[in-house]
Amino acid sequence: MSTSGGIAGKGVKKVSHKLVFRAKDVAGFSPRGAEDSYVSRMLIDKESVGSAALVMNHFTLRPGKRSEPGSHPDPYDEVYYVLRGRALLQLGDPPEVFELEPDTVAFIPSGTSHSLENIGTEDLELITLMPGQLREGVNTVYDERRRTWGTSFRLVN
């Protein structure tokens, strides 16, 4: 693994140290009233690494907890990739229910109602991906994090 970010004089651009970091070093955010339910860590967006084309989040849902149903406007499709735990994903209206477990991928088209329920005994951890930079109103947790912190991204200490 390279630690220098490139070789000077060879046309290789030096890479900022903030482009590579550990997800656990990113501060978690929980909206007021949901502190015992879930934690959201914004990993990749314009404020964290300068990405205007992709948003990536690490989401943790506690055992026995559920997320509120929601949807995202066009063009904000969403992808879930499950790292750990088990959950039920409700998609659509009326909802179809899908069981999620590690290594499961779920595609959620824009405009589709969706919610999660952790049915396991351990935390559900998943990665979420969305296109572009999120504008206000696309994701309520992202909006509340920015209002509370003044930014979408914070490293621990």
Side-chain angles (χ1 to χ4, degrees):
M1 175 186 289
S2 172
T3 57
S4 67
I7 300 169
K10 297 288 184 185
V12 178
K13 184 169 125 181
K14 183 162 175 138
V15 176
S16 167
H17 69 279
K18 78 175 197 176
L19 297 181
V20 178
F21 52 89
R22 292 170 34 117
K24 297 295 184 189
D25 292 338
V26 176
F29 178 81
S30 298
R32 188 181 316 254
E35 296 89 352
D36 69 335
S37 296
Y38 65 88
V39 176
S40 171
R41 286 182 175 81
M42 181 53 61
L43 303 178
I44 304 292
D45 76 344
K46 191 168 187 170
E47 292 179 26
S48 66
V49 299
S51 175
L54 177 70
V55 173
M56 180 178 172
N57 185 70
H58 180 272
F59 181 79
T60 303
L61 184 64
R62 305 287 182 229
K65 302 297 182 176
R66 64 179 59 219
S67 64
E68 294 295 319
S71 64
H72 310 294
D74 191 51
Y76 295 98
D77 295 336
E78 187 169 21
V79 173
Y80 289 170
Y81 178 76
V82 180
L83 301 170
R84 180 169 80 116
R86 293 181 52 237
L88 296 179
L89 170 63
Q90 294 190 15
L91 281 180
D93 188 17
E96 284 186 72
V97 179
F98 301 90
E99 188 165 339
L100 305 182
E101 59 187 20
D103 294 326
T104 302
V105 175
F107 176 72
I108 304 165
S110 62
T112 302
S113 178
H114 57 283
S115 65
L116 287 166
E117 178 183 359
N118 184 337
I119 59 170
T121 58
E122 65 179 342
D123 287 348
L124 171 72
E125 291 187 40
L126 53 88
I127 297 294
T128 69
L129 298 166
M130 293 177 82
Q133 180 62 31
L134 301 182
R135 63 179 191 268
E136 187 151 354
V138 170
N139 183 293
T140 57
V141 175
Y142 186 82
D143 293 345
E144 188 170 338
R145 177 184 8 243
R146 293 207 67 230
R147 281 192 297 274
T148 302
W149 288 357
T151 184
S152 62
F153 177 81
R154 271 192 190 168
L155 291 173
V156 177
N157 297 329

